[in-house]
Structures are given as structure tokens and as C-alpha cells.
Amino acid sequence: MQIFRNKIGLVVTAAATTLIGCLWIMTSQVDPIPTHPGAGPERVGQMQSFAMTPSLRPRLTVGWKDASGQEVSLAAFRGKVVMLNFWASWCSPCLRELPSINRLQARLGGDQFTVVALNVDRGGKSVASRYTRRLKLDKLALYVDQDNNAAKSMKLQNMPTTIIFDSKGREVGRLVGAAEWDTEEAVNLLKWFIDNPGYAGNLPPRANS
């Protein structure tokens, strides 16, 4: 009887060890979800290409013009997370993603977040307004930068490019290329920056070149 009990004990112990081992393998293969502000937002789906800003960068100080011809800069949106999207009529990927950006503004725009869709056509307002009407971008304010000053200041090399700034005007990340910006993964990423306004304050200073 004692031998039988010992055998049962060995079988139970072996089974428990196997189960624990399987659980460890399963959990070790799952990518951890960020649980603290320093870890940054979860980047999945199309947002995997979103590059976090590695160090503090100079604030964008150059401006552009609104529909009435008035000068506007990033400082006008202080207190909000800003999604600055550069687009042009000759950029097919830009035109494809703009409707999703319009839907994003309708969903998330408000006291804590806004989209600045900045047109860089040399034709200025006449070209930009024609395409905003054609694409039915009724939730996006019209902004133009004929001289490309903002794009040059941000060292853009490809279109479209989207840059996210926190509520203090500090760049926190950018995505080069088109995306569907009203997907859950995109909205969740933007909400993370809204909910973690102090993230950029922990970035290291930019090294002198």
C-alpha cells in the first residue's frame, strides 16, 4: 500500500511539474504589455511602424496659415495632444489615408486632442480646399504651408508623415507612410499619450551633433 501511494505521489508531482513548465513556456512567449508610463504605448497592427522619439527634440516654432490666411503655429494648440499630418494632392497615399484622419478627428477631437492636417502643395489654399471638398474632409480645419517651412524644420524625407506632439508641444513619435488612423490600435496609441502627459519629460536630452 505504501509503495502504491508513493507511485501516485510521483505521478502527481510529475504532472504538476509538466503543467508549470508548460505555463512558463506559454507566458514567456507572450510579448509583455506596457504597464507603466516609461514603457510607452502598445504598438500593434499598423502602429508597429510608429517610431517613438528617442530623445528630446527642439520644439517646432515655425508656423503655417489657416483658411483665412492667418499665421498659426503649434503653440496655438498648447494643452492638447496634436497629430500633425503632412499631405499633398500629388501624394496618393496621403489622399487614401485622409478620410480615416477625418473620422479620427470626429471621434477623438476635443479639449485634449486635435488633428492638424497640413497641406504642402505649392498651389496653396486653392489646391488644398479643392481636395478637402472632394474627399469630404468636413471635420478637418484647412491649413497650408506653401513654402514647406514646417516640413523642412521637422526634416521630413517622405510623404505622408505623421508626427505626434504632447500637450506641451514636445515630439513623442512619428509614423512615416500611410495608415488607417481611426482603427482601434491607432486610437489606443493616441489615447495613451493623452493619458500620460509626462512621458516626454523623462526622455534624455538630445546629444550635441
Side-chain angles (χ1 to χ4, degrees), residues 159-172:
M159 294 276 288
T161 292
T162 301
I163 304 175
I164 309 302
F165 298 89
D166 71 4
S167 58
K168 293 184 179 181
R170 301 172 295 194
E171 181 182 340
V172 290

Side-chain angles (χ1 to χ4, degrees), residues 77-145:
F77 308 98
R78 190 171 180 84
K80 298 182 181 183
V81 170
V82 176
M83 176 174 146
L84 178 60
N85 173 262
F86 292 86
W87 70 278
S89 63
W90 45 261
C91 170
S92 296
C94 299
L95 301 182
R96 286 197 298 270
E97 76 171 354
L98 277 169
S100 73
I101 294 175
N102 190 68
R103 294 191 296 269
L104 171 68
Q105 176 66 9
R107 176 176 176 178
L108 204 59
D111 294 337
Q112 296 180 301
F113 173 82
T114 194
V115 172
V116 174
L118 184 58
N119 177 268
V120 296
D121 276 284
R122 290 180 179 269
K125 179 183 175 180
S126 61
V127 174
S129 59
R130 183 165 69 248
Y131 277 86
T132 56
R133 289 194 302 269
R134 181 180 301 177
L135 296 171
K136 299 179 180 179
L137 306 179
D138 57 335
K139 304 301 180 183
L140 299 176
L142 183 66
Y143 297 111
V144 295
D145 184 14

Side-chain angles (χ1 to χ4, degrees), residues 46-47 96-97 99-101 103 178-183 185-186:
Q46 296 179 61
M47 294 299 106
R96 286 197 298 270
E97 76 171 354
S100 73
I101 294 175
R103 294 191 296 269
E180 289 293 315
W181 283 98
D182 62 333
T183 60
E185 56 262 31

